[in-house]
PDB file of all heavy atoms in Angstrom:
ATOM      1  N   TYR A   1     -14.876  65.705 -13.957  1.00 98.00           N
ATOM      2  CA  TYR A   1     -14.195  66.958 -14.271  1.00 98.00           C
ATOM      3  C   TYR A   1     -13.164  66.760 -15.381  1.00 98.00           C
ATOM      4  O   TYR A   1     -12.295  65.890 -15.277  1.00 98.00           O
ATOM      5  CB  TYR A   1     -13.495  67.492 -13.020  1.00 98.00           C
ATOM      6  CG  TYR A   1     -12.975  68.892 -13.156  1.00 98.00           C
ATOM      7  CD1 TYR A   1     -13.793  69.977 -12.904  1.00 98.00           C
ATOM      8  CD2 TYR A   1     -11.661  69.133 -13.545  1.00 98.00           C
ATOM      9  CE1 TYR A   1     -13.315  71.274 -13.036  1.00 98.00           C
ATOM     10  CE2 TYR A   1     -11.179  70.419 -13.684  1.00 98.00           C
ATOM     11  CZ  TYR A   1     -12.020  71.481 -13.422  1.00 98.00           C
ATOM     12  OH  TYR A   1     -11.552  72.762 -13.562  1.00 98.00           O
ATOM     13  N   LEU A   2     -13.268  67.550 -16.447  1.00 98.00           N
ATOM     14  CA  LEU A   2     -12.285  67.618 -17.530  1.00 98.00           C
ATOM     15  C   LEU A   2     -12.080  69.080 -17.870  1.00 98.00           C
ATOM     16  O   LEU A   2     -13.051  69.849 -17.882  1.00 98.00           O
ATOM     17  CB  LEU A   2     -12.773  66.884 -18.781  1.00 98.00           C
ATOM     18  CG  LEU A   2     -12.908  65.379 -18.698  1.00 98.00           C
ATOM     19  CD1 LEU A   2     -13.564  64.845 -19.975  1.00 98.00           C
ATOM     20  CD2 LEU A   2     -11.550  64.727 -18.515  1.00 98.00           C
ATOM     21  N   GLY A   3     -10.848  69.484 -18.151  1.00 98.00           N
ATOM     22  CA  GLY A   3     -10.646  70.882 -18.473  1.00 98.00           C
ATOM     23  C   GLY A   3      -9.290  71.177 -19.075  1.00 98.00           C
ATOM     24  O   GLY A   3      -8.424  70.298 -19.189  1.00 98.00           O
ATOM     25  N   LEU A   4      -9.135  72.429 -19.447  1.00 97.00           N
ATOM     26  CA  LEU A   4      -7.888  72.963 -19.961  1.00 97.00           C
ATOM     27  C   LEU A   4      -7.634  74.273 -19.230  1.00 97.00           C
ATOM     28  O   LEU A   4      -8.532  75.110 -19.114  1.00 97.00           O
ATOM     29  CB  LEU A   4      -7.974  73.209 -21.470  1.00 97.00           C
ATOM     30  CG  LEU A   4      -6.719  73.740 -22.146  1.00 97.00           C
ATOM     31  CD1 LEU A   4      -5.600  72.696 -22.092  1.00 97.00           C
ATOM     32  CD2 LEU A   4      -7.020  74.099 -23.600  1.00 97.00           C
ATOM     33  N   GLU A   5      -6.410  74.437 -18.727  1.00 96.00           N
ATOM     34  CA  GLU A   5      -6.048  75.624 -17.949  1.00 96.00           C
ATOM     35  C   GLU A   5      -4.835  76.287 -18.600  1.00 96.00           C
ATOM     36  O   GLU A   5      -3.935  75.603 -19.082  1.00 96.00           O
ATOM     37  CB  GLU A   5      -5.712  75.182 -16.529  1.00 96.00           C
ATOM     38  CG  GLU A   5      -5.298  76.267 -15.595  1.00 96.00           C
ATOM     39  CD  GLU A   5      -5.062  75.732 -14.199  1.00 96.00           C
ATOM     40  OE1 GLU A   5      -3.942  75.288 -13.910  1.00 96.00           O
ATOM     41  OE2 GLU A   5      -6.017  75.754 -13.402  1.00 96.00           O
ATOM     42  N   TYR A   6      -4.826  77.621 -18.594  1.00 95.00           N
ATOM     43  CA  TYR A   6      -3.666  78.363 -19.081  1.00 95.00           C
ATOM     44  C   TYR A   6      -3.182  79.291 -17.980  1.00 95.00           C
ATOM     45  O   TYR A   6      -3.940  80.108 -17.466  1.00 95.00           O
ATOM     46  CB  TYR A   6      -4.000  79.167 -20.333  1.00 95.00           C
ATOM     47  CG  TYR A   6      -2.817  79.941 -20.856  1.00 95.00           C
ATOM     48  CD1 TYR A   6      -1.675  79.282 -21.304  1.00 95.00           C
ATOM     49  CD2 TYR A   6      -2.817  81.323 -20.877  1.00 95.00           C
ATOM     50  CE1 TYR A   6      -0.574  79.980 -21.772  1.00 95.00           C
ATOM     51  CE2 TYR A   6      -1.729  82.042 -21.345  1.00 95.00           C
ATOM     52  CZ  TYR A   6      -0.613  81.356 -21.791  1.00 95.00           C
ATOM     53  OH  TYR A   6       0.479  82.038 -22.247  1.00 95.00           O
ATOM     54  N   ARG A   7      -1.910  79.149 -17.625  1.00 94.00           N
ATOM     55  CA  ARG A   7      -1.289  79.978 -16.587  1.00 94.00           C
ATOM     56  C   ARG A   7      -0.471  81.062 -17.290  1.00 94.00           C
ATOM     57  O   ARG A   7       0.542  80.770 -17.923  1.00 94.00           O
ATOM     58  CB  ARG A   7      -0.391  79.133 -15.702  1.00 94.00           C
ATOM     59  CG  ARG A   7      -1.138  78.001 -15.035  1.00 94.00           C
ATOM     60  CD  ARG A   7      -0.211  77.044 -14.343  1.00 94.00           C
ATOM     61  NE  ARG A   7      -0.968  75.890 -13.862  1.00 94.00           N
ATOM     62  CZ  ARG A   7      -0.406  74.820 -13.337  1.00 94.00           C
ATOM     63  NH1 ARG A   7       0.901  74.748 -13.202  1.00 94.00           N
ATOM     64  NH2 ARG A   7      -1.154  73.821 -12.937  1.00 94.00           N
ATOM     65  N   ILE A   8      -0.885  82.300 -17.165  1.00 93.00           N
ATOM     66  CA  ILE A   8      -0.204  83.415 -17.810  1.00 93.00           C
ATOM     67  C   ILE A   8       1.069  83.718 -17.030  1.00 93.00           C
ATOM     68  O   ILE A   8       1.027  83.925 -15.816  1.00 93.00           O
ATOM     69  CB  ILE A   8      -1.132  84.643 -17.890  1.00 93.00           C
ATOM     70  CG1 ILE A   8      -2.384  84.283 -18.686  1.00 93.00           C
ATOM     71  CG2 ILE A   8      -0.408  85.826 -18.515  1.00 93.00           C
ATOM     72  CD1 ILE A   8      -3.446  85.354 -18.678  1.00 93.00           C
ATOM     73  N   LYS A   9       2.202  83.744 -17.728  1.00 87.00           N
ATOM     74  CA  LYS A   9       3.499  83.935 -17.060  1.00 87.00           C
ATOM     75  C   LYS A   9       3.684  85.338 -16.512  1.00 87.00           C
ATOM     76  O   LYS A   9       4.194  85.529 -15.422  1.00 87.00           O
ATOM     77  CB  LYS A   9       4.647  83.660 -18.040  1.00 87.00           C
ATOM     78  CG  LYS A   9       4.852  82.236 -18.391  1.00 87.00           C
ATOM     79  CD  LYS A   9       6.102  82.098 -19.227  1.00 87.00           C
ATOM     80  CE  LYS A   9       5.777  81.425 -20.526  1.00 87.00           C
ATOM     81  NZ  LYS A   9       6.923  81.251 -21.386  1.00 87.00           N
ATOM     82  N   GLU A  10       3.296  86.342 -17.287  1.00 89.00           N
ATOM     83  CA  GLU A  10       3.596  87.728 -16.954  1.00 89.00           C
ATOM     84  C   GLU A  10       2.786  88.266 -15.784  1.00 89.00           C
ATOM     85  O   GLU A  10       3.210  89.191 -15.101  1.00 89.00           O
ATOM     86  CB  GLU A  10       3.368  88.635 -18.173  1.00 89.00           C
ATOM     87  CG  GLU A  10       4.312  88.368 -19.321  1.00 89.00           C
ATOM     88  CD  GLU A  10       3.920  87.136 -20.145  1.00 89.00           C
ATOM     89  OE1 GLU A  10       2.755  86.698 -20.068  1.00 89.00           O
ATOM     90  OE2 GLU A  10       4.797  86.608 -20.854  1.00 89.00           O
ATOM     91  N   ILE A  11       1.602  87.735 -15.581  1.00 92.00           N
ATOM     92  CA  ILE A  11       0.741  88.174 -14.485  1.00 92.00           C
ATOM     93  C   ILE A  11       0.226  86.933 -13.754  1.00 92.00           C
ATOM     94  O   ILE A  11       0.168  85.855 -14.332  1.00 92.00           O
ATOM     95  CB  ILE A  11      -0.435  89.053 -14.983  1.00 92.00           C
ATOM     96  CG1 ILE A  11      -1.278  88.293 -16.018  1.00 92.00           C
ATOM     97  CG2 ILE A  11       0.071  90.360 -15.540  1.00 92.00           C
ATOM     98  CD1 ILE A  11      -2.509  89.035 -16.469  1.00 92.00           C
ATOM     99  N   PRO A  12      -0.139  87.052 -12.503  1.00 95.00           N
ATOM    100  CA  PRO A  12      -0.569  85.866 -11.738  1.00 95.00           C
ATOM    101  C   PRO A  12      -2.029  85.490 -12.008  1.00 95.00           C
ATOM    102  O   PRO A  12      -2.853  85.416 -11.102  1.00 95.00           O
ATOM    103  CB  PRO A  12      -0.355  86.300 -10.290  1.00 95.00           C
ATOM    104  CG  PRO A  12      -0.589  87.764 -10.322  1.00 95.00           C
ATOM    105  CD  PRO A  12      -0.032  88.233 -11.647  1.00 95.00           C
ATOM    106  N   LEU A  13      -2.352  85.265 -13.271  1.00 96.00           N
ATOM    107  CA  LEU A  13      -3.719  84.956 -13.665  1.00 96.00           C
ATOM    108  C   LEU A  13      -3.770  83.575 -14.309  1.00 96.00           C
ATOM    109  O   LEU A  13      -2.889  83.210 -15.095  1.00 96.00           O
ATOM    110  CB  LEU A  13      -4.233  86.011 -14.652  1.00 96.00           C
ATOM    111  CG  LEU A  13      -5.693  85.922 -15.050  1.00 96.00           C
ATOM    112  CD1 LEU A  13      -6.594  86.196 -13.844  1.00 96.00           C
ATOM    113  CD2 LEU A  13      -5.995  86.924 -16.152  1.00 96.00           C
ATOM    114  N   VAL A  14      -4.815  82.820 -13.988  1.00 96.00           N
ATOM    115  CA  VAL A  14      -5.056  81.497 -14.555  1.00 96.00           C
ATOM    116  C   VAL A  14      -6.436  81.533 -15.193  1.00 96.00           C
ATOM    117  O   VAL A  14      -7.403  81.960 -14.572  1.00 96.00           O
ATOM    118  CB  VAL A  14      -5.010  80.404 -13.464  1.00 96.00           C
ATOM    119  CG1 VAL A  14      -5.318  79.041 -14.052  1.00 96.00           C
ATOM    120  CG2 VAL A  14      -3.678  80.402 -12.754  1.00 96.00           C
ATOM    121  N   ILE A  15      -6.509  81.087 -16.451  1.00 97.00           N
ATOM    122  CA  ILE A  15      -7.776  81.020 -17.172  1.00 97.00           C
ATOM    123  C   ILE A  15      -8.066  79.561 -17.439  1.00 97.00           C
ATOM    124  O   ILE A  15      -7.193  78.822 -17.919  1.00 97.00           O
ATOM    125  CB  ILE A  15      -7.708  81.802 -18.495  1.00 97.00           C
ATOM    126  CG1 ILE A  15      -7.384  83.267 -18.228  1.00 97.00           C
ATOM    127  CG2 ILE A  15      -9.012  81.670 -19.270  1.00 97.00           C
ATOM    128  CD1 ILE A  15      -7.064  84.059 -19.469  1.00 97.00           C
ATOM    129  N   GLY A  16      -9.263  79.116 -17.128  1.00 97.00           N
ATOM    130  CA  GLY A  16      -9.613  77.715 -17.323  1.00 97.00           C
ATOM    131  C   GLY A  16     -10.953  77.536 -18.005  1.00 97.00           C
ATOM    132  O   GLY A  16     -11.882  78.333 -17.813  1.00 97.00           O
ATOM    133  N   LEU A  17     -11.045  76.511 -18.816  1.00 98.00           N
ATOM    134  CA  LEU A  17     -12.292  76.103 -19.448  1.00 98.00           C
ATOM    135  C   LEU A  17     -12.507  74.655 -19.049  1.00 98.00           C
ATOM    136  O   LEU A  17     -11.608  73.822 -19.220  1.00 98.00           O
ATOM    137  CB  LEU A  17     -12.188  76.230 -20.971  1.00 98.00           C
ATOM    138  CG  LEU A  17     -13.432  75.857 -21.771  1.00 98.00           C
ATOM    139  CD1 LEU A  17     -14.582  76.803 -21.436  1.00 98.00           C
ATOM    140  CD2 LEU A  17     -13.124  75.925 -23.258  1.00 98.00           C
ATOM    141  N   ASP A  18     -13.681  74.350 -18.470  1.00 98.00           N
ATOM    142  CA  ASP A  18     -13.890  72.995 -17.980  1.00 98.00           C
ATOM    143  C   ASP A  18     -15.281  72.477 -18.262  1.00 98.00           C
ATOM    144  O   ASP A  18     -16.195  73.235 -18.565  1.00 98.00           O
ATOM    145  CB  ASP A  18     -13.573  72.907 -16.479  1.00 98.00           C
ATOM    146  CG  ASP A  18     -14.475  73.776 -15.636  1.00 98.00           C
ATOM    147  OD1 ASP A  18     -15.691  73.511 -15.596  1.00 98.00           O
ATOM    148  OD2 ASP A  18     -13.969  74.701 -14.999  1.00 98.00           O
ATOM    149  N   TYR A  19     -15.399  71.167 -18.152  1.00 98.00           N
ATOM    150  CA  TYR A  19     -16.650  70.435 -18.320  1.00 98.00           C
ATOM    151  C   TYR A  19     -16.829  69.605 -17.050  1.00 98.00           C
ATOM    152  O   TYR A  19     -15.951  68.827 -16.686  1.00 98.00           O
ATOM    153  CB  TYR A  19     -16.549  69.540 -19.553  1.00 98.00           C
ATOM    154  CG  TYR A  19     -17.697  68.593 -19.739  1.00 98.00           C
ATOM    155  CD1 TYR A  19     -18.994  69.060 -19.921  1.00 98.00           C
ATOM    156  CD2 TYR A  19     -17.490  67.221 -19.747  1.00 98.00           C
ATOM    157  CE1 TYR A  19     -20.049  68.189 -20.109  1.00 98.00           C
ATOM    158  CE2 TYR A  19     -18.541  66.336 -19.926  1.00 98.00           C
ATOM    159  CZ  TYR A  19     -19.817  66.826 -20.114  1.00 98.00           C
ATOM    160  OH  TYR A  19     -20.868  65.960 -20.293  1.00 98.00           O
ATOM    161  N   LYS A  20     -17.959  69.833 -16.346  1.00 97.00           N
ATOM    162  CA  LYS A  20     -18.174  69.216 -15.038  1.00 97.00           C
ATOM    163  C   LYS A  20     -19.571  68.576 -14.962  1.00 97.00           C
ATOM    164  O   LYS A  20     -20.472  69.111 -14.315  1.00 97.00           O
ATOM    165  CB  LYS A  20     -17.988  70.269 -13.949  1.00 97.00           C
ATOM    166  CG  LYS A  20     -17.868  69.699 -12.546  1.00 97.00           C
ATOM    167  CD  LYS A  20     -17.658  70.780 -11.524  1.00 97.00           C
ATOM    168  CE  LYS A  20     -18.899  71.544 -11.212  1.00 97.00           C
ATOM    169  NZ  LYS A  20     -20.035  70.770 -10.741  1.00 97.00           N
ATOM    170  N   PRO A  21     -19.756  67.421 -15.626  1.00 97.00           N
ATOM    171  CA  PRO A  21     -21.064  66.767 -15.508  1.00 97.00           C
ATOM    172  C   PRO A  21     -21.274  66.234 -14.094  1.00 97.00           C
ATOM    173  O   PRO A  21     -20.314  65.926 -13.397  1.00 97.00           O
ATOM    174  CB  PRO A  21     -20.973  65.618 -16.522  1.00 97.00           C
ATOM    175  CG  PRO A  21     -19.525  65.310 -16.596  1.00 97.00           C
ATOM    176  CD  PRO A  21     -18.811  66.626 -16.400  1.00 97.00           C
ATOM    177  N   PHE A  22     -22.539  66.164 -13.680  1.00 96.00           N
ATOM    178  CA  PHE A  22     -22.797  65.663 -12.330  1.00 96.00           C
ATOM    179  C   PHE A  22     -24.121  64.919 -12.248  1.00 96.00           C
ATOM    180  O   PHE A  22     -25.010  65.110 -13.073  1.00 96.00           O
ATOM    181  CB  PHE A  22     -22.742  66.791 -11.291  1.00 96.00           C
ATOM    182  CG  PHE A  22     -23.756  67.889 -11.475  1.00 96.00           C
ATOM    183  CD1 PHE A  22     -25.034  67.778 -10.959  1.00 96.00           C
ATOM    184  CD2 PHE A  22     -23.420  69.039 -12.151  1.00 96.00           C
ATOM    185  CE1 PHE A  22     -25.957  68.791 -11.107  1.00 96.00           C
ATOM    186  CE2 PHE A  22     -24.326  70.073 -12.307  1.00 96.00           C
ATOM    187  CZ  PHE A  22     -25.604  69.944 -11.784  1.00 96.00           C
ATOM    188  N   PHE A  23     -24.213  64.076 -11.242  1.00 96.00           N
ATOM    189  CA  PHE A  23     -25.442  63.380 -10.866  1.00 96.00           C
ATOM    190  C   PHE A  23     -25.751  63.807  -9.445  1.00 96.00           C
ATOM    191  O   PHE A  23     -24.856  63.877  -8.602  1.00 96.00           O
ATOM    192  CB  PHE A  23     -25.241  61.863 -10.925  1.00 96.00           C
ATOM    193  CG  PHE A  23     -26.367  61.091 -10.291  1.00 96.00           C
ATOM    194  CD1 PHE A  23     -27.558  60.903 -10.966  1.00 96.00           C
ATOM    195  CD2 PHE A  23     -26.236  60.582  -9.010  1.00 96.00           C
ATOM    196  CE1 PHE A  23     -28.602  60.199 -10.379  1.00 96.00           C
ATOM    197  CE2 PHE A  23     -27.270  59.870  -8.407  1.00 96.00           C
ATOM    198  CZ  PHE A  23     -28.455  59.691  -9.105  1.00 96.00           C
ATOM    199  N   GLU A  24     -27.027  64.099  -9.169  1.00 92.00           N
ATOM    200  CA  GLU A  24     -27.383  64.445  -7.788  1.00 92.00           C
ATOM    201  C   GLU A  24     -28.717  63.819  -7.418  1.00 92.00           C
ATOM    202  O   GLU A  24     -29.536  63.487  -8.270  1.00 92.00           O
ATOM    203  CB  GLU A  24     -27.385  65.955  -7.554  1.00 92.00           C
ATOM    204  CG  GLU A  24     -28.373  66.737  -8.328  1.00 92.00           C
ATOM    205  CD  GLU A  24     -28.159  68.234  -8.128  1.00 92.00           C
ATOM    206  OE1 GLU A  24     -27.050  68.680  -7.837  1.00 92.00           O
ATOM    207  OE2 GLU A  24     -29.155  68.956  -8.288  1.00 92.00           O
ATOM    208  N   ILE A  25     -28.883  63.696  -6.109  1.00 91.00           N
ATOM    209  CA  ILE A  25     -30.087  63.084  -5.567  1.00 91.00           C
ATOM    210  C   ILE A  25     -30.561  63.913  -4.371  1.00 91.00           C
ATOM    211  O   ILE A  25     -29.753  64.461  -3.626  1.00 91.00           O
ATOM    212  CB  ILE A  25     -29.818  61.607  -5.169  1.00 91.00           C
ATOM    213  CG1 ILE A  25     -31.106  60.908  -4.783  1.00 91.00           C
ATOM    214  CG2 ILE A  25     -28.762  61.509  -4.095  1.00 91.00           C
ATOM    215  CD1 ILE A  25     -30.969  59.408  -4.672  1.00 91.00           C
ATOM    216  N   ALA A  26     -31.878  64.012  -4.253  1.00 85.00           N
ATOM    217  CA  ALA A  26     -32.519  64.740  -3.152  1.00 85.00           C
ATOM    218  C   ALA A  26     -33.740  63.932  -2.725  1.00 85.00           C
ATOM    219  O   ALA A  26     -34.097  62.948  -3.382  1.00 85.00           O
ATOM    220  CB  ALA A  26     -32.913  66.138  -3.616  1.00 85.00           C
ATOM    221  N   PRO A  27     -34.399  64.331  -1.640  1.00 80.00           N
ATOM    222  CA  PRO A  27     -35.557  63.552  -1.182  1.00 80.00           C
ATOM    223  C   PRO A  27     -36.654  63.364  -2.234  1.00 80.00           C
ATOM    224  O   PRO A  27     -37.305  62.327  -2.263  1.00 80.00           O
ATOM    225  CB  PRO A  27     -36.082  64.365   0.003  1.00 80.00           C
ATOM    226  CG  PRO A  27     -34.885  65.062   0.521  1.00 80.00           C
ATOM    227  CD  PRO A  27     -34.053  65.388  -0.685  1.00 80.00           C
ATOM    228  N   HIS A  28     -36.844  64.325  -3.138  1.00 72.00           N
ATOM    229  CA  HIS A  28     -37.940  64.235  -4.104  1.00 72.00           C
ATOM    230  C   HIS A  28     -37.486  64.101  -5.549  1.00 72.00           C
ATOM    231  O   HIS A  28     -38.318  64.166  -6.438  1.00 72.00           O
ATOM    232  CB  HIS A  28     -38.843  65.472  -3.988  1.00 72.00           C
ATOM    233  CG  HIS A  28     -39.536  65.558  -2.671  1.00 72.00           C
ATOM    234  ND1 HIS A  28     -40.563  64.723  -2.319  1.00 72.00           N
ATOM    235  CD2 HIS A  28     -39.339  66.359  -1.608  1.00 72.00           C
ATOM    236  CE1 HIS A  28     -40.978  65.020  -1.102  1.00 72.00           C
ATOM    237  NE2 HIS A  28     -40.241  66.008  -0.643  1.00 72.00           N
TER     238      HIS A  28
END
């Protein structure tokens, strides 16, 4: 997980842009 988040002061809103590479495994 890597990202950048911006917390807006005037309103309770958070905007984030992220990069979330992953590896997964299943039976097949």
